[in-house]
Amino acid sequence: MNVEEIIEKVAKGEIKLHQVENYVNGDKRLATEIRRKALERKLGIKLEHIGHYSIDPNQLIGRNIENMIGVVQIPMGVAGPLKINGEYAKGEFYIPLATTEGALVASVNRGCSALTEAGGVVTTLLDDKMTRAPLIKCPNARRAREVAQWVQENLEYLQEKAVSKVTRHGKLRGVKPFIVGRNLYLRFEFETGDAMGMNMVTIASEEIMKVIEEHFPDVRYLALSGNLCVDKKPNAVNFILGRGKTVVAEAVVPREIVKRKLKTTPELIAEVNYLKNLVGSAQAGSYGFNAHFGNIVGAIFLATGQDEAQITEGSHGITIAEVTPEGDLYISITMPSLEIGTVGGGTRVPTQREALEIMGVAGGGDPPGVNAKKFAEIVAGAVLAGELSLLAAIAAKHLARAHKMLGR
């Protein structure tokens, strides 16, 4: 068949979307064109912008996307420079932000300017782990407790017999068991190097389940994820125990800078933060005691090829703003569950990799893990900049004016 005949058959449903590659000798770029043209024909529309791109479908289909028809383009801006005094991120950084929300990049940029003039952001990485929580059905609760105790006492054995068989980079570092009735949920914690690590820990956890079933023939491995991981859902467990990177960013902004650059006072920012982010969030039952972590996390995730569904957990966190004895502003953000990586997944897409290169964190680090940790500190610094700027805008009653100027 020639290309025109294939397009017609796809449009009529005689060839399924996922079968197109089979008719073009595996040429994924041509298959992408055929799917798009068939869709245009069937729906009577034109997809000319979706069809313009520079990335190679042959590198993406089967790894990052299925049934590809083109790309969606999201405007990308940069904020910065932002000075970060971190354990892994040291120096001044520009932050790529992919968004269609007017005023967001400008707001983060203003926060970066104020924080950099104040001497920069201090970042502290508190924890680094990726989790998966398989579910095991046991005969009774006592047996569930016995299995849990055995697992806790045999982590090195499980690393050798299971984890090391399927990954060179993943290391089992802990487990937290939860027992509900006779059901055992094992929240495994892994180190995953520079990868976000969900695929890695999923495969490793399945191997661990095989070993457990061999040692305990009377228990039944029921689900690879028992929803206590917790992945891509608002939840208390990640907020309390953390998942991915747990990181703090903090700064002291002199009163003069707050007044000159942010057009308000430390007292007003502290009061707005308390009544909005803490009291208001408590009344709402929110897991996000902050102004808009999700805005900055989302824009960075889209720019750098992170798992966009994990913006959910990235929006968890607490913003603190206090007036120091000297009358300056102390401000901090704590992010318990920042799930990011610099290798694997969407980070291999060329445009997203270039965005990581802007921050100097593309690819694997030496030693493994340092790039992802550096990236986490940069994200935390950017989130702090966004929080500072938005709180100041609210305190100065400039929020609506900014959106009228930049968002309409």
Side-chain angles (χ1 to χ4, degrees):
M1 284 185 291
N2 60 37
V3 170
E4 179 58 32
E5 289 173 327
I6 298 172
I7 292 172
E8 185 64 22
K9 285 184 177 291
V10 175
K12 290 180 178 179
E14 295 173 12
I15 296 176
K16 297 184 183 301
L17 293 173
H18 69 272
Q19 295 174 329
V20 177
E21 280 81 359
N22 298 335
Y23 292 87
V24 292
N25 297 318
D27 186 336
K28 296 172 182 177
R29 181 179 290 276
L30 180 56
T32 298
E33 296 285 313
I34 288 170
R35 274 189 290 265
R36 186 176 65 255
K37 290 178 179 177
L39 200 62
E40 289 178 332
R41 184 171 300 180
K42 184 169 185 175
L43 300 179
I45 58 176
K46 294 297 291 181
L47 303 174
E48 57 180 307
H49 295 289
I50 289 174
H52 286 160
Y53 52 87
S54 61
I55 57 180
D56 183 4
N58 288 292
Q59 301 299 316
L60 304 179
I61 295 173
R63 303 179 75 182
N64 298 99
I65 190 70
E66 301 80 37
N67 295 348
M68 184 173 174
I69 64 167
V71 302
V72 169
Q73 299 180 81
I74 304 174
M76 185 189 297
V78 291
L82 173 62
K83 183 177 181 181
I84 299 179
N85 307 305
E87 298 169 295
Y88 300 91
K90 303 176 187 291
E92 293 191 348
F93 299 90
Y94 289 91
I95 298 107
L97 301 161
T99 182
T100 55
E101 181 183 346
L104 177 60
V105 176
S107 179
V108 176
N109 196 64
R110 182 174 78 142
C112 290
S113 176
L115 290 169
T116 297
E117 185 175 338
V121 178
V122 176
T123 52
T124 304
L125 192 71
L126 303 179
D127 201 2
D128 181 10
K129 61 177 178 289
M130 182 46 62
T131 61
R132 181 52 97 194
L135 164 60
I136 298 174
K137 199 172 190 67
C138 301
N140 51 58
R142 290 187 183 178
R143 188 58 161 166
R145 184 177 63 186
E146 290 173 9
V147 176
Q149 289 173 341
W150 182 87
V151 170
Q152 288 175 306
E153 293 167 0
N154 287 277
L155 294 179
E156 290 185 8
Y157 176 78
L158 292 171
Q159 173 70 31
E160 178 187 348
K161 294 295 182 181
V163 179
S164 296
K165 287 173 58 178
V166 294
T167 174
R168 291 182 293 112
H169 302 291
K171 179 174 174 53
L172 179 62
R173 50 162 261 188
V175 62
K176 287 186 169 56
F178 297 83
I179 297 173
V180 181
R182 61 178 182 171
N183 303 298
L184 172 61
Y185 301 80
L186 292 168
R187 191 175 192 260
F188 290 113
E189 301 175 352
F190 296 85
E191 295 175 5
T192 60
D194 286 301
M196 182 270 285
M198 268 311 307
N199 289 341
M200 186 188 303
V201 305
T202 296
I203 294 167
S205 295
E206 186 164 59
E207 288 299 312
I208 292 173
M209 290 300 98
K210 294 176 184 177
V211 175
I212 291 174
E213 284 189 313
E214 288 176 3
H215 278 75
F216 300 94
D218 58 336
V219 308
R220 182 161 60 99
Y221 155 48
L222 194 62
L224 188 53
S225 172
N227 260 15
L228 262 165
C229 311
V230 176
D231 194 33
K232 305 173 184 177
K233 292 169 281 291
N235 65 92
V237 171
N238 290 3
F239 196 96
I240 297 167
L241 299 180
R243 189 172 194 250
K245 310 293 190 284
T246 300
V247 61
V248 173
E250 57 190 340
V252 174
V253 185
R255 172 177 290 271
E256 186 274 329
I257 293 177
V258 173
K259 293 178 71 174
R260 173 169 50 84
K261 278 190 173 289
L262 303 176
K263 313 303 181 187
T264 186
T265 65
E267 289 80 6
L268 274 173
I269 289 177
E271 184 177 17
V272 168
N273 183 72
Y274 171 69
L275 292 175
K276 168 186 167 63
N277 286 344
L278 304 183
V279 177
S281 295
Q283 178 65 29
S286 174
Y287 289 123
F289 290 81
N290 58 74
H292 68 149
F293 280 21
N295 254 339
I296 296 91
V297 171
I300 294 175
F301 271 36
L302 292 174
T304 60
Q306 309 304 307
D307 189 328
E308 63 272 12
Q310 291 176 331
I311 296 168
T312 303
E313 299 100 289
S315 68
H316 290 177
I318 300 173
T319 298
I320 293 175
E322 300 170 339
V323 181
T324 70
E326 296 76 24
D328 300 323
L329 175 69
Y330 168 84
I331 185 166
S332 72
I333 59 98
T334 301
M335 306 182 75
S337 187
L338 181 60
E339 299 149 322
I340 57 173
T342 60
V343 298
T347 67
R348 65 169 64 94
V349 180
T351 46
Q352 280 78 345
R353 184 179 176 86
E354 287 179 4
L356 289 167
E357 288 173 354
I358 291 172
M359 296 175 284
V361 296
D366 185 16
V370 296
N371 268 6
K373 291 172 181 175
K374 178 180 176 182
F375 185 25
E377 293 188 338
I378 296 170
V379 174
V383 169
L384 182 64
E387 288 290 288
L388 173 62
S389 185
L390 179 55
L391 287 171
I394 294 171
K397 299 182 174 62
H398 291 167
L399 180 62
R401 186 178 75 184
H403 277 272
K404 285 179 183 176
M405 291 173 58
L406 299 172
R408 294 182 67 177

